């Protein structure tokens, strides 16, 4: 008998797994093995041959030659392949009848009477015996060396065919899996893409169409950054670069993409860097971002409210508390996290039944309100009112509890005091009503009976609101108040009621709920006052305020209209004067033109004084806070006034403290106006004398600098009895001042009010005939060196060839604008109304638009809104600058709301226009 080699069960299991991996026990591979079996039979010159594979319980014959089909599967117990396959060499039996171990073997007969048997073991590359290549004959015989060698080679070929089949099967399976993966990848709702190192899109799936409305063909070959939201590019690139420096290969990063139609979507990206490629997948997280934003807001609100907020999980354990809760109870999140709130805040006199009842309600998915005696962390008793809200998940299960905690300790004390106060309620002049827990009257004092005309017997068992209400009574207010009372909330309301005789009466009702020892509503106490007279006074005050507002608006509108009507022709006067002076006038005309220019500008200054004063009076003038250089401003002011000073024979000098910081933050324009007013007055009222501007540093620290200003002259001075009212409007120190020196009498009034905006007071010292000193101090914020960016003068070459549209219904304004702008190389176009301007913007490309505000038909505001609403970046980004002669304070807001980028006030200042052009044409 054959002796089976000793094999462990583990090895046999591994051998079977190796056999099954070739998938050869079923159909398949017949043709390849048929050829090998035939070849083996031909080489050995035998009539029968087959390949056998040894399974767990049977032998499977494949590609059998000369064997009946009924022997395709043979019991493993009847065969000798299971033994011979374990041999290292070919097993040969020349004559079966001469082998005692084989002569009676049933499997060898195969119905043929086998006499010759040869078995070549089939062993794979991993050393596992799979079966045998078997040759049979009905007559005894033997094999020569050539035949044995050939049979060994064929056995190796059988194994090779098996390996090839397995590899092909694996390749087919991998191909199928790859195709399935590619199908999933292609139809995935997430964006999957492959990028080169610079962000170029090498491959992208169809999700780009669903998410961003682009086709695959439109984006392949383009850079991913072309579709990235502009504000996110620097942040994203910086994050990736830092990660790569830290040798990170995988990134999770969120940034926004812009769809074909301009929709902005948040996408959460997973990115893997491999060699010179980025493998990326992105998921639309726009909604999640919205939720996160809302949660952030809610968290911020919860953390800032005065009431305590506690959030519990579904097991009633604390997960979060706000700062207010810690202030109320002394417990912080570390003390409470993961524990039930009631266990920590309870104490000796706490009603534990209330806590148990509250927990039952939560388990039943019911919200509740309860007042409970609790204990702080320092063991001090405290009354808390707890408002619990149960939050359910999509399956209707408790997900979270949110509890609002209110400290009602003081309210409890008040309730106790009310019990005492009730003893004297009957003696007070204030109306007092006591009701049951439903709000039905049980007692009123005599003062209330007298106030409303009803007796206790008439009121008993009724609700006071029902008895005193009429059609004019605010029923919703009463309903809301009753809800508060039911929820044990105190309230105070003011309501219009009616006495028993029908007389209307305004009542102030202060309601306090009284709770029993179990925290249940027991009764309510209401204190009732007659406030009819006060309401009448309030109504009269409201009417007076409305009238004052209407008057103020009318005044401002009148001044705005007058400003527009005056500035429009004044624009022509000043503009034409500038143009005439620039066009090389005759020598005999220069003085006349200068007089005309001076008169026009003087008139403009008077108008500005009146309008600025009006803005200050109505509270519509606000100081700006912009960086400026005080020394440069002071020098510019002195230089600008030197001509006027020289005409009066005065010496104008600046005395400046070099310790003053170079960079300050303030309203440069209003400071300029203050100093120009004071220095202009000093020059005006001084002949052949001295005028000094003194600027000193009085106090300095890291954040602020206190600067002292003094304007000193030795002019005509101010009489002592007149110094108290020189700052009043339209007032001069003497009656002949205006006639002799000119002016509106508004300069000092405006100066004083501007300094009040700076929180500074102006002081005056003067002696008639000897001179005057005005002084004040202003506190300016300091700036770091990096906060100021030096500005450059606009380059004329910047304007060359730029297309500008001027929209104005006034032909003179058009002419002046044309004369100014054409000098700077601009290509000009004009429109006389809003409709024409819209058509021209649609049909042409401009670099900038000057838009008049007040025009017949479509005005400048509406025209700008219409342009901004057109589709395309050009209409959204085209600079539109308002041309206005109006100074209504709310027009700055209207400029922004309509989409305008800025404004220029008429009359036109060439340098201001040049500055505006330089700012926007650089972009």
């Amino acid at each position: 008998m054959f002796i089976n080699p000793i094999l462990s069960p583990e090895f046999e299991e591994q051998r079977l797994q190796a056999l099954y991996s070739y998938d050869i026990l079923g159909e398949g591979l017949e043709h390849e093995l048929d050829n090998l079996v035939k070849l083996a039979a031909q080489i050995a010159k035998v009539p029968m041959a087959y390949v056998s594979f040894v399974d767990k319980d049977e032998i499977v014959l494949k590609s059998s030659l000369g064997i009946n089909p009924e022997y395709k599967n043979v019991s493993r117990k009847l065969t000798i392949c299971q033994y011979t396959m374990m041999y290292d060499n070919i097993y040969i039996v020349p004559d079966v009848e001469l082998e005692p171990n084989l002569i009676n073997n049933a499997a060898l007969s195969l119905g043929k009477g086998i006499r010759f048997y040869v078995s070549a073991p089939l062993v794979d590359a991993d050393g596992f015996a799979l079966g045998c290549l078997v040759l049979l004959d009905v007559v005894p015989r033997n094999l020569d060396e050539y035949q044995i060698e050939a049979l060994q080679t064929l056995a190796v070929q059988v194994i090779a065919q098996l390996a090839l089949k397995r590899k092909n099967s694996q390749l087919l399976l991998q191909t199928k899996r790859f195709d399935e993966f590619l199908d999933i990848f292609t139809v995935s709702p997430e964006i999957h893409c492959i990028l080169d190192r610079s962000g170029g899109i090498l491959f992208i799936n169809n999700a780009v169409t669903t998410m961003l409305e682009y086709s695959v063909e439109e984006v392949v070959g383009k850079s991913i950054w072309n579709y990235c939201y502009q504000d996110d590019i620097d942040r994203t690139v910086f994050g990736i670069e830092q990660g790569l420096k830290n040798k990170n290969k995988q990134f999770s990063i969120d940034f926004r993409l812009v769809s074909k139609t301009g929709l902005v979507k948040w996408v959460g990206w997973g990115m893997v860097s491999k060699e010179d490629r980025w493998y990326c997948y992105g998921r639309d997280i726009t909604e999640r971002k919205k939720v996160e934003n809302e949660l952030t807001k809610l968290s911020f609100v919860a953390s800032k409210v005065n009431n305590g907020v506690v959030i519990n999980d579904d097991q009633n354990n604390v997960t979060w508390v706000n700062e207010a809760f810690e202030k109320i109870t002394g417990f912080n999140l570390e003390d409470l996290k993961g524990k039930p709130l009631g266990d920590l805040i309870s104490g000796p006199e706490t009603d534990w039944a209330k806590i148990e009842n509250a927990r039952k309600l939560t388990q039943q998915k019911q919200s509740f309100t309860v007042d409970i005696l609790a204990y702080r962390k320092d063991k001090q008793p405290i009354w808390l009112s707890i408002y619990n809200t149960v939050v359910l998940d999509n399956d209707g299960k408790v997900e979270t509890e949110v509890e609002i905690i209110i400290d009602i300790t003081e309210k409890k004390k008040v309730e106790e005091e009310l019990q005492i106060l009730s003893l004297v309620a009957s003696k007070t002049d204030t109306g007092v009503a006591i009701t049951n827990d439903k709000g039905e009257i049980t007692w009123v004092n005599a003062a209330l009976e007298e106030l409303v005309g009803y007796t206790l017997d008439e009121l008993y068992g009724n609700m006071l609101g029902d008895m005193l209400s009429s059609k004019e009574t605010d029923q919703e207010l009463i309903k809301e108040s009753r809800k508060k009372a039911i929820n044990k909330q105190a309230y105070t309301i003011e309501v219009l009621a009616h006495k028993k005789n029908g007389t209307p009466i305004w009542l102030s009702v202060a309601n306090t709920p009284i709770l029993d020892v179990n925290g249940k509503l027991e009764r309510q106490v209401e204190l009732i006052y007659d406030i009819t007279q006060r309401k009448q006074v309030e109504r009269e005050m409201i009417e007076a305020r409305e009238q004052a507002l209407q008057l103020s608006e009318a005044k401002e509108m009148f001044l705005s209209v007058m400003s527009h009507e005056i500035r429009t022709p004044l624009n022509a006067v000043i503009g034409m004067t500038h143009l005439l002076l620039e066009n090389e006038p005759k020598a005999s005309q220069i003085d006349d033109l200068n007089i005309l220019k001076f008169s026009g500008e003087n008139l403009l200054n008077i108008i500005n004084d009146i309008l600025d004063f009006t803005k200050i009076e109505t509270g519509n003038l606000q100081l700006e806070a912009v960086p400026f250089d005080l020394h440069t401003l002071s020098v510019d002011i002195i230089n600008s006034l030197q001509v006027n000073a020289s005409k009066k024979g005065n010496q104008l000098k600046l005395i400046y403290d070099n310790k003053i910081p170079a960079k300050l933050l303030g309203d440069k324009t209003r400071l300029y106006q203050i100093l120009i007013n004071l220095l202009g007055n000093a020059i005006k009222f001084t002949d052949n004398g001295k005028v000094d501007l003194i600027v000193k540093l009085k106090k300095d620290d890291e954040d602020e600098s206190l600067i002292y200003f003094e304007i000193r002259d030795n002019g005509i001075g101010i009489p002592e009895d007149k110094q108290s009212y020189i700052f009043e409007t339209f007032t001069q120190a003497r009656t002949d001042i205006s006639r002799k020196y000119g002016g509106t009498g508004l300069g000092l009034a405006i100066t004083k009010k501007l300094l009040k905006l700076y929180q500074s007071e102006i002081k005056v010292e003067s002696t008639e005939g000897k001179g005057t000193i005005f002084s004040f101090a202003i506190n300016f914020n300091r700036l770091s060196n990096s906060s100021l960016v030096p500005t450059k003068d606009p380059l004329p070459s910047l304007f060359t060839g730029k297309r500008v549209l001027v929209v104005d219904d006034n032909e003179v304004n058009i002419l002046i604008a044309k004369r100014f702008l054409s000098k700077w190389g601009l290509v000009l176009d004009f429109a006389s109304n809003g409709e024409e301007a819209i058509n021209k913007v649609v049909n042409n490309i401009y670099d900038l638009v000057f838009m008049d505000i007040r025009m017949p038909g479509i005005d400048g505001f509406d025209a700008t809104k219409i342009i901004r609403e057109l589709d395309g970046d050009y209409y959204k980004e085209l600079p539109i600058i308002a041309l206005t002669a109006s100074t209504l304070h709310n027009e700055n807001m209207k400029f922004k709301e309509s989409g305008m980028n800025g404004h220029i006030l008429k009359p036109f200042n060439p340098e201001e226009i040049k500055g505006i052009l330089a700012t926007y044409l650089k972009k």
Side-chain angles (χ1 to χ4, degrees):
M1 290 295 293
F2 290 98
I3 299 175
N4 211 352
I6 299 174
L7 300 175
S8 66
E10 291 80 6
F11 181 84
E12 174 64 7
E13 184 66 28
Q14 293 174 358
R15 187 195 72 80
L16 289 173
Q17 289 298 325
L19 175 65
Y20 299 152
S21 71
Y22 293 99
D23 191 24
I24 53 175
L25 299 181
E27 301 297 327
L29 204 67
E30 296 288 346
H31 179 67
E32 290 83 353
L33 293 185
D34 282 349
N35 292 335
L36 291 174
V37 170
K38 287 178 182 179
L39 182 58
Q42 289 172 358
I43 292 173
K45 298 178 181 181
V46 296
M48 292 174 285
Y50 59 86
V51 173
S52 67
F53 296 107
V54 181
D55 199 356
K56 182 177 181 181
D57 297 316
E58 63 181 4
I59 306 296
V60 179
L61 273 61
K62 303 287 287 187
S63 299
S64 58
L65 177 67
I67 306 298
N68 291 332
E70 62 184 281
Y71 298 109
K72 184 173 182 180
N73 295 82
V74 182
S75 172
R76 181 170 175 174
K77 296 178 181 178
L78 301 176
T79 68
I80 61 174
C81 288
Q82 62 177 319
Y83 307 118
T84 60
M85 72 176 180
M86 306 303 298
Y87 289 3
D88 293 334
N89 299 311
I90 294 176
Y91 177 71
I92 302 175
V93 181
D95 189 348
V96 171
E97 291 185 358
L98 298 180
E99 288 290 332
N101 293 334
L102 298 181
I103 189 169
N104 295 319
N105 187 280
L108 282 179
S109 67
L110 295 176
K112 298 284 187 177
I114 302 301
R115 297 288 300 277
F116 175 67
Y117 176 85
V118 177
S119 174
L122 300 177
V123 182
D124 71 2
D126 295 321
F128 292 111
L130 307 179
C132 302
L133 173 58
V134 179
L135 303 177
L136 303 173
D137 202 345
V138 295
V139 296
R141 60 182 307 151
N142 210 332
L143 299 178
D144 58 26
E145 292 182 3
Y146 167 77
Q147 290 172 318
I148 293 172
E149 184 179 350
L151 189 59
Q152 289 175 330
T153 300
L154 289 174
V156 172
Q157 285 301 311
V158 170
I159 292 298
Q161 288 295 332
L162 297 183
L164 180 61
K165 178 182 183 299
R166 182 171 66 178
K167 186 173 183 180
N168 288 338
S169 298
Q170 291 173 343
L171 288 174
L172 287 173
L173 182 60
Q174 288 176 354
T175 302
K176 183 179 178 182
R177 289 177 178 172
F178 176 78
D179 290 341
E180 291 173 348
F181 174 76
L182 188 60
D183 290 341
I184 295 172
F185 182 80
T186 303
V187 301
S188 170
E190 298 178 351
I191 287 183
H192 295 266
C193 59
I194 301 174
L195 312 176
D196 62 23
R197 182 60 68 186
S198 63
I201 301 172
L202 304 176
F203 171 84
I204 197 164
N205 67 337
N206 293 336
V208 71
T209 304
T210 305
M211 193 179 298
L212 300 178
E213 303 163 284
Y214 290 100
S215 67
V216 172
E217 293 75 15
E218 285 180 295
V219 298
V220 170
K222 306 290 178 55
S223 173
I224 189 69
W225 306 120
N226 292 348
Y227 309 100
C228 185
Y229 189 68
Q230 196 67 28
D231 293 347
D232 291 352
I233 294 177
D234 290 343
R235 171 180 61 82
T236 304
V237 172
F238 177 77
I240 292 173
E241 288 178 348
Q242 290 298 113
L244 291 175
K245 288 179 181 178
N246 295 328
K247 301 188 182 305
N248 293 336
K249 295 296 183 181
Q250 296 186 357
F251 297 85
S252 293
I253 192 167
D254 299 344
F255 59 85
R256 289 166 285 185
L257 296 179
V258 182
S259 74
K260 194 172 185 178
T261 57
L263 294 177
V264 178
K265 296 190 176 183
W266 274 101
V267 179
W269 291 96
M271 306 177 69
V272 178
S273 173
K274 189 174 182 181
E275 297 178 351
D276 61 344
R277 295 286 186 270
W278 284 100
Y279 298 88
C280 315
Y281 64 92
R283 175 176 296 174
D284 187 344
I285 59 171
T286 305
E287 289 304 318
R288 192 193 83 192
K289 283 289 184 180
K290 290 180 181 178
V291 171
E292 288 177 356
N293 188 42
E294 291 300 321
L295 287 175
T296 300
K297 292 178 181 177
L298 289 174
S299 175
F300 176 78
V301 171
S303 65
K304 299 300 180 183
V305 295
N306 294 326
N307 296 330
V309 179
V310 178
I311 299 178
N312 302 325
D313 61 18
D314 59 339
Q315 299 299 317
N316 196 235
N317 294 322
V318 175
T319 60
W320 184 84
V321 299
N322 67 347
E323 292 181 6
F325 179 82
E326 184 176 351
K327 290 179 181 178
I328 293 171
T329 67
F331 290 103
N332 57 29
L333 181 58
E334 187 176 342
D335 299 326
L336 298 169
K337 194 166 186 179
K339 303 171 186 175
L341 177 63
D343 293 356
L344 285 139
I345 63 173
S346 59
E349 298 182 24
T350 301
D351 188 345
W352 190 254
K354 288 186 177 182
I355 296 177
E356 291 292 344
N357 185 55
R359 290 177 177 175
K360 288 180 182 178
L361 290 173
T362 300
Q363 292 172 359
Q364 296 168 6
K365 307 174 187 177
Q366 296 182 32
S367 300
F368 62 84
T369 301
V370 64
D371 291 347
I372 190 170
L373 178 63
Y375 288 82
R376 288 173 45 86
K377 188 176 181 179
D378 58 10
K379 304 304 180 183
Q380 292 298 315
I382 181 173
W383 274 96
L384 299 178
S385 185
I386 302 174
Y387 297 82
N388 176 288
T389 299
V390 176
V391 181
L392 305 180
D393 61 17
N394 293 333
D395 297 325
K397 296 180 180 178
V398 176
E399 182 177 42
T400 307
E401 293 178 70
V402 179
E403 295 182 327
I404 308 300
I405 314 292
I406 302 174
D407 182 355
I408 59 169
T409 305
E410 292 301 320
K411 192 185 85 169
K412 282 291 182 180
K413 291 179 181 178
V414 170
E415 291 173 2
E416 294 173 359
E417 293 171 358
L418 279 176
Q419 294 178 357
I420 300 173
L421 292 175
S422 64
L423 298 176
V424 297
S426 59
K427 305 297 182 182
T428 181
D429 293 333
T430 300
V432 178
I434 298 178
T435 73
N436 60 20
D437 59 328
K438 298 177 181 178
E440 298 166 343
I441 294 174
T442 59
W443 182 85
V444 298
N445 67 348
L448 184 60
E449 290 180 327
E450 183 178 352
L451 183 63
V452 300
Y454 289 99
T455 65
L456 174 59
D457 291 338
E458 293 172 310
L459 294 172
Y460 188 86
N462 296 303
M463 292 187 173
L464 188 62
D466 295 343
M467 296 293 291
L468 303 183
S469 293
S470 67
K471 294 180 180 179
E472 292 80 12
T473 303
D474 188 344
Q475 296 296 334
E476 287 299 320
L477 179 61
I478 293 176
K479 289 179 182 178
E480 290 298 321
S481 301
R482 288 174 178 174
K483 287 181 182 178
K484 288 184 178 180
I486 292 172
N487 290 327
K488 295 171 278 189
Q489 294 176 265
Y491 65 83
T492 299
I493 61 170
E494 295 179 355
V495 64
L496 177 62
H498 284 76
K499 297 183 180 182
K500 182 179 180 180
N501 62 11
T503 304
I505 182 174
W506 274 95
L507 298 177
S508 173
V509 182
N511 177 291
T512 301
I514 307 299
L515 309 180
D516 62 17
V517 292
N518 296 317
K520 293 183 179 180
L521 182 63
E522 184 177 29
R523 63 175 61 89
Q524 302 173 51
V525 177
E526 294 183 334
L527 302 181
I528 302 166
Y529 305 88
D530 180 358
I531 58 169
T532 306
Q533 187 174 0
R534 194 196 83 194
K535 282 291 183 178
Q536 178 64 28
V537 172
E538 287 178 358
R539 184 162 51 252
E540 291 173 355
M541 291 178 63
I542 290 172
E543 291 174 356
R545 181 176 178 274
E546 289 177 351
Q547 291 176 359
L549 287 173
Q550 292 173 0
L551 181 61
S552 175
E553 290 174 359
K555 173 183 176 183
E556 188 175 355
M557 180 61 72
F558 170 76
L559 287 171
S560 175
V561 173
M562 291 305 298
S563 166
H564 178 79
E565 296 302 325
I566 294 173
R567 287 174 184 269
T568 298
L570 194 58
N571 180 47
V573 173
I574 296 177
M576 293 304 295
T577 304
H578 276 290
L579 292 172
L580 290 171
L581 285 169
E582 291 176 1
N583 288 339
E584 300 181 359
K586 296 179 182 179
S588 60
Q589 297 173 327
I590 291 176
D591 289 340
D592 294 340
L593 290 174
N594 280 327
I595 291 172
L596 180 61
K597 178 173 176 291
F598 174 80
S599 299
E601 291 176 346
N602 193 43
L603 177 58
L604 179 61
N605 289 333
I606 292 172
I607 293 170
N608 287 338
D609 279 351
I610 295 172
L611 295 174
D612 281 351
F613 182 77
T614 303
K615 285 184 180 180
I616 298 172
E617 286 287 289
T618 57
N620 294 322
L621 185 64
Q622 302 293 329
L623 292 179
E624 294 181 337
V626 296
F628 75 100
D629 187 325
L630 180 57
H631 181 262
T632 301
L633 177 65
S634 301
V635 171
D636 290 345
I637 290 172
I638 293 297
N639 291 339
S640 66
L641 293 173
Q642 285 293 357
V643 174
N644 289 343
S646 299
K647 288 180 181 178
K648 299 277 289 184
N650 294 322
Q651 294 181 7
L652 179 60
K653 186 169 66 173
L654 171 65
I655 303 172
Y656 192 87
D657 188 348
N658 291 328
K659 296 177 182 177
I660 296 174
K663 299 171 180 64
L664 299 173
L665 188 69
D667 193 324
K668 173 183 176 182
T669 302
R670 298 307 171 190
L671 180 58
Y672 173 89
Q673 191 174 354
I674 292 168
L675 294 176
I676 283 290
N677 278 343
L678 295 174
L679 286 168
N681 279 348
I683 292 170
K684 182 193 299 185
F685 299 123
T686 304
D687 292 317
N688 301 313
K690 293 182 178 180
V691 177
D692 296 333
L693 170 60
I694 302 168
V695 186
K696 292 182 178 180
L697 179 65
K698 289 194 72 174
K699 185 180 178 182
D700 191 37
D701 57 36
E702 292 183 359
D703 299 322
E704 295 180 330
S705 296
L706 182 63
I707 310 299
Y708 171 79
F709 297 87
E710 182 176 298
I711 295 85
R712 181 189 297 268
D713 68 67
N714 57 359
I716 64 174
I718 304 170
E720 185 175 354
D721 60 336
K722 305 295 183 183
Q723 294 176 16
S724 60
Y725 63 87
I726 58 173
F727 296 103
E728 295 180 9
T729 57
F730 303 107
T731 302
Q732 304 278 18
R734 295 203 303 266
T735 56
D736 63 339
I737 291 293
S738 181
R739 174 177 52 79
K740 184 174 181 181
Y741 295 97
T744 61
L746 282 174
L748 288 178
I750 292 173
T751 297
K752 183 172 182 178
K753 290 183 180 294
L754 288 175
L755 284 171
K756 280 191 175 181
L757 294 178
Y758 268 114
Q759 299 181 344
S760 176
E761 290 288 339
I762 189 168
K763 297 179 181 178
V764 59
E765 301 175 24
S766 183
T767 303
E768 189 172 10
K770 294 187 177 180
T772 303
I773 299 172
F774 287 99
S775 63
F776 58 89
I778 297 177
N779 215 9
F780 293 101
N781 287 333
R782 293 188 61 174
L783 292 179
S784 62
N785 292 332
S786 60
S787 299
L788 285 179
V789 179
T791 58
K792 297 180 180 180
D793 293 334
L795 301 174
S797 60
L798 185 66
F799 307 152
T800 303
K802 299 292 185 180
R803 290 177 57 83
V804 175
L805 174 64
V806 180
V807 185
D808 201 311
D809 62 327
N810 187 294
E811 294 182 2
V812 176
N813 289 342
I814 290 286
L815 175 62
I816 293 171
K818 184 175 183 180
R819 297 282 292 276
F820 276 137
L821 300 175
S822 60
K823 290 183 177 182
W824 301 331
L826 297 166
V827 178
L828 303 178
D829 198 358
F830 301 93
S832 59
N833 56 60
E835 184 176 357
E836 185 181 355
I838 294 168
N839 291 332
K840 290 208 170 190
V841 169
V842 170
N843 296 318
N844 300 279
I845 299 297
Y846 299 104
D847 296 291
L848 185 139
V849 175
F850 286 117
M851 179 75 73
D852 191 21
I853 296 303
R854 299 182 184 275
M855 295 182 292
I858 299 177
D859 65 13
F861 292 124
D862 290 338
T864 302
K865 286 180 181 177
I866 291 171
I867 291 171
R868 293 303 190 211
E869 290 171 357
L870 296 174
D871 292 334
D873 293 342
Y874 164 65
Y875 301 107
K876 303 292 187 293
E877 298 172 0
L878 174 65
I880 301 178
I881 309 300
L883 300 176
T884 178
S886 171
T887 58
L888 269 176
H889 74 277
N890 64 345
E891 283 196 345
N892 279 337
M893 185 64 69
K894 291 177 70 176
F895 294 145
K896 294 179 181 178
E897 290 175 353
S898 66
M900 292 182 172
N901 300 90
H903 70 279
I904 294 178
L905 193 63
K906 300 176 185 177
F908 300 132
N909 183 319
E911 293 304 317
E912 185 179 359
I913 294 178
K914 189 181 291 184
I916 287 287
L917 288 170
T919 299
Y920 289 98
L921 294 185
K922 281 180 182 176
K923 297 179 182 179

